[in-house]
Amino acid sequence: MDKTIRGQWLFGAIAAIVPWGVGMVGVSVVSGAMSPNLPSRNIVQTLSFRPLFEFDANSSVWDVCFSPDGRTLATAAAYSLELWGRDGTRLDSVSHSLPVRVVEYSRDSSRIAAALTTPDEAFEIDDVHKTVELYRVAGDRLQSQHTLVHGSWVEKLGFSDDGALLATLGRDRTLKLWNDRGVDVRTLSATDFAFGEEILVTGDEAGTVTVWRVENGDARSLISFDNGAPISSLALSPDGLAIATGDEAGTVRL
């Protein structure tokens, strides 16, 4: 298994990307221009990726995440959380007794949440060890802030837009909301979630979609509706005006 992390830089603008197999070494770009005075034509260009840097993480890399400000990169590499600069410089590293599975930045790039798991999913340990570690990023260093005990292995993380809440979604299909002091302020039944501007959308096994108002470090239910089937995934449009759901019956609804 290749355990190398690579930074890539793409030259040019892309209208459509067509991968050339699994190991993509280039992309075909097709763009069209139409004018009342000119016939329609296709312009085909071949662009290439140039490696900016690469480094050996010495283990399987389970997750990578750019900070929203684009300055740093966080990696979940087996038993450590690593912080890297855009030039490939290792800025900081924190070791854990369990592998780091998922990593997520807050919207202002000031905090990182890292969910832990076991090397073998069949291996069980006490619920008290099923945690999410919360760090503050200060001067390109990781400062431990809180240990959040979810009670189940966490598979998805997300910060609210204002950073006042962190959502942790566990394999037990519970969603916990934590305030910036590391306090569990609300526990919900959910199979997926999405944050928007001042709102949170959740979907659950019963097929219910709920929209929550996020304010003052808490969430208040605004409206719920029936999706018609258990929800397996959902997404919120960037403008916050549309919700897409995917359900176990194989239907996508908008």
Side-chain angles (χ1 to χ4, degrees):
M1 180 183 294
D2 185 359
K3 300 175 181 178
T4 304
I5 300 173
R6 296 177 175 85
Q8 303 284 353
W9 187 264
L10 174 64
F11 294 95
I14 299 178
I17 300 178
V18 183
W20 297 344
V22 176
M24 188 169 66
V25 295
V27 294
S28 292
V29 178
V30 180
S31 62
M34 297 187 67
S35 168
N37 303 318
L38 295 174
S40 175
R41 62 178 182 173
N42 287 330
I43 301 173
V44 179
Q45 298 174 330
T46 300
L47 304 182
S48 62
F49 290 92
R50 175 175 61 85
L52 292 176
F53 61 84
E54 59 183 60
F55 48 88
D56 190 355
N58 298 316
S59 61
S60 298
V61 180
W62 283 353
D63 199 11
V64 294
C65 184
F66 268 112
S67 61
D69 63 13
R71 291 184 58 253
T72 56
L73 173 73
T75 62
Y79 292 88
S80 65
L81 172 66
E82 311 279 353
L83 187 65
W84 306 85
R86 282 286 296 267
D87 60 354
T89 302
R90 188 196 302 266
L91 303 174
D92 203 2
S93 176
V94 178
S95 298
H96 290 280
S97 58
L98 292 173
V100 182
R101 184 71 177 189
V102 186
V103 61
E104 184 70 30
Y105 275 90
S106 62
R107 302 298 175 89
D108 64 0
S109 304
S110 67
R111 286 180 294 166
I112 294 176
L116 307 185
T117 187
T118 55
D120 181 357
E121 292 187 359
F123 179 75
E124 268 301 331
I125 62 175
D126 293 338
D127 288 351
V128 70
H129 299 295
K130 298 171 182 178
T131 66
V132 171
E133 304 297 323
L134 188 60
Y135 294 91
R136 182 168 295 281
V137 182
D140 293 335
R141 303 289 293 180
L142 295 169
Q143 298 178 352
S144 180
Q145 194 172 19
H146 300 292
T147 296
L148 313 177
V149 180
H150 185 97
S152 173
W153 297 122
V154 170
E155 296 184 326
K156 184 174 179 177
L157 301 165
F159 284 92
S160 60
D161 275 17
D162 61 4
L165 290 176
L166 170 67
T168 62
L169 181 63
R171 291 181 194 166
D172 59 353
R173 300 192 172 185
T174 62
L175 177 73
K176 291 193 174 185
L177 298 177
W178 310 82
N179 63 21
D180 55 8
R181 298 186 302 278
V183 177
D184 177 8
V185 297
R186 190 175 292 272
T187 299
L188 310 169
S189 175
T191 52
D192 202 2
F193 72 93
F195 274 112
E197 185 176 355
E198 298 183 349
I199 63 171
L200 167 70
V201 181
T202 61
D204 62 25
E205 287 183 285
T208 302
V209 177
T210 305
V211 180
W212 307 78
R213 170 70 68 185
V214 175
E215 56 186 354
N216 300 323
D218 202 352
R220 175 174 56 88
S221 176
L222 291 178
I223 189 172
S224 296
F225 58 90
D226 184 14
N227 181 71
I231 293 170
S232 52
S233 59
L234 63 80
L236 182 65
S237 64
D239 60 10
L241 299 179
I243 300 169
T245 63
D247 60 41
E248 295 181 4
T251 304
V252 177
R253 292 180 173 88
L254 188 62

